[in-house]
């Protein structure tokens, strides 16, 4: 690790910000998989140990780089805990609960715009989906996770787009419980239903 | 109509283009409903009769302004003709058929980007959905069209986003028939299933 110590600046007040900026740039342009903590540290001019010290694991760093107003893994933990039965409704309820909170809306919109743009392709495919949503399906013990994931993403992404980004009425003003009644069974089918 | 004749230039080669540009600008910024052919004609500096001569009805002008590589009403006519039973699968099959055609892909992507952007809010809500997709639901004899439309849009929009715009694998490379098997029942349920 000593080679990465060139230019190290552990005491600089902007060290955290520099690491986050380097992480965002790498994750967005290269994706989660091929990006190493070592590369991010080198780009930020710090020791990799400092990255771990500030942010924990590579996954933790990725979630921090997304700058979300909530840790999605905390929100999704209860979804997994209760098992595959009804997971679609619970996943959707958790998602709407976070999005319907006015204080969290603005940073979430920024996040949605960044991953729904073509330039955010990496952040979604080899990033948010594999790092945050994929593990939920795996932890639920589902089969064929790779094929289920894009279908789940298509409905959740489309719903966020129409309800929160484009504010399509009457969907935008509909009580969350009604949305879950209509869309919940869709998510459940994509999670546990038959695949061709 | 005589007041609109000021600046009329019926023989100019760019008359059609000027009308289309004015139509696009009005539909995008104000929406379909409040925009009149008369306003578009005035902005293009032509007689409203010329707009009708070139483009037919306001609906036709709207579809022309979208600059789609196909007339969506022609594509959707067979969906309506066969009735509500199985309409979800047929609607999806028709949509994927158009999108999977490589030659049409590029102009469709431009269209998708324009309506999925916040600036394209009017083009989607008070435009494409009410002018093109809404009538399909009405012609199918469905109830509660206003509430069903955003759910249909959320799944179709999300699917187009993930399969064609962001090219999320393995969804992007999946045979259309497999996509219809998985997503068709969702559209059908949004069209004819119970609503809360």
């Amino acid at each position: 690790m000593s080679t990465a110590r060139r230019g190290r600046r552990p005491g600089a007040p902007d060290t955290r910000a520099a690491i986050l900026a380097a992480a965002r740039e790498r994750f967005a342009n290269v994706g989660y998989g091929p990006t190493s903590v070592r590369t991010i540290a080198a780009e930020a001019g710090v020791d990799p140990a400092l990255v771990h010290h500030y942010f924990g694991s590579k996954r933790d760093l990725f979630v921090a780089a997304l700058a979300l107003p909530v840790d999605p893994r905390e929100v999704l933990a209860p979804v997994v805990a209760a098992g595959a039965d009804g997971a679609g409704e619970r996943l959707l309820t958790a998602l709407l609960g976070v999005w319907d909170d006015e204080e969290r809306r603005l940073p979430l919109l920024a996040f949605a715009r960044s991953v729904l743009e073509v330039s955010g392709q990496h952040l979604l495919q080899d990033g948010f989906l594999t790092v945050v949503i994929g593990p939920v399906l795996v932890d639920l013990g589902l089969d064929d996770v790779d094929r289920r994931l894009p279908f789940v993403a298509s409905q959740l992404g489309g719903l966020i787009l129409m309800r929160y980004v484009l504010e399509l009425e009457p969907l935008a003003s509909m009580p969350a419980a009604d949305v879950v009644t209509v869309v919940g069974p869709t998510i459940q089918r994509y999670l546990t239903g038959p695949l061709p």
Side-chain angles (χ1 to χ4, degrees), chain A residues 108-195:
Chain A
L108 284 173
L109 281 172
F111 166 70
R113 292 215 181 89
S114 70
V115 299
L116 296 181
E117 271 171 18
V118 173
S119 61
Q121 217 153 347
H122 280 304
L123 275 183
L124 190 70
Q125 173 127 24
D126 178 26
F128 190 72
L129 288 181
T130 45
V131 178
V132 177
I133 306 294
V136 173
L137 275 66
V138 171
D139 291 348
L140 282 169
L142 306 179
D143 62 352
D144 246 335
V145 165
D146 285 352
R147 285 166 79 217
R148 296 183 185 281
L149 205 49
F151 289 110
V152 173
S154 77
Q155 179 59 91
L156 294 182
L159 187 65
I160 287 173
L161 186 70
M162 300 302 168
R163 180 170 162 97
Y164 301 107
V165 181
L166 300 178
E167 297 182 315
L168 207 63
E169 291 296 355
L171 180 63
S173 309
M174 202 175 279
D178 287 356
V179 178
V180 173
T181 301
V182 179
V183 181
T186 301
I187 307 296
Q188 186 64 40
R189 207 161 48 75
Y190 294 165
L191 289 177
T192 58
L195 288 181

Side-chain angles (χ1 to χ4, degrees), chain A residues 2-173:
Chain A
S2 60
T3 56
R5 286 182 195 244
R6 284 172 309 189
R8 182 185 170 187
R9 34 176 187 175
D14 56 346
T15 300
R16 249 185 136 265
I19 295 169
L20 276 180
R24 266 189 214 113
E25 191 273 329
R26 297 295 299 184
F27 288 140
N29 293 326
V30 184
Y32 180 81
T35 297
S36 67
V37 168
R38 181 180 287 260
T39 320
I40 292 169
E43 266 185 34
V46 303
D47 191 293
L50 203 63
V51 176
H52 290 297
H53 171 72
Y54 275 129
F55 295 101
S57 69
K58 179 178 158 189
R59 276 195 180 197
D60 296 327
L61 176 60
F62 177 78
V63 172
L66 292 177
L68 295 171
V70 287
D71 186 330
R73 296 168 303 178
E74 273 174 38
V75 174
L76 296 172
V79 176
V80 173
D85 202 30
E89 281 81 358
R90 290 199 309 279
L91 179 57
L92 194 54
T93 302
L95 183 89
L96 296 177
V98 174
W99 273 89
D100 282 342
D101 179 343
E102 294 291 343
E103 287 192 21
R104 289 157 164 174
R105 183 77 62 86
L106 217 59
L108 284 173
L109 281 172
F111 166 70
R113 292 215 181 89
S114 70
V115 299
L116 296 181
E117 271 171 18
V118 173
S119 61
Q121 217 153 347
H122 280 304
L123 275 183
L124 190 70
Q125 173 127 24
D126 178 26
F128 190 72
L129 288 181
T130 45
V131 178
V132 177
I133 306 294
V136 173
L137 275 66
V138 171
D139 291 348
L140 282 169
L142 306 179
D143 62 352
D144 246 335
V145 165
D146 285 352
R147 285 166 79 217
R148 296 183 185 281
L149 205 49
F151 289 110
V152 173
S154 77
Q155 179 59 91
L156 294 182
L159 187 65
I160 287 173
L161 186 70
M162 300 302 168
R163 180 170 162 97
Y164 301 107
V165 181
L166 300 178
E167 297 182 315
L168 207 63
E169 291 296 355
L171 180 63
S173 309

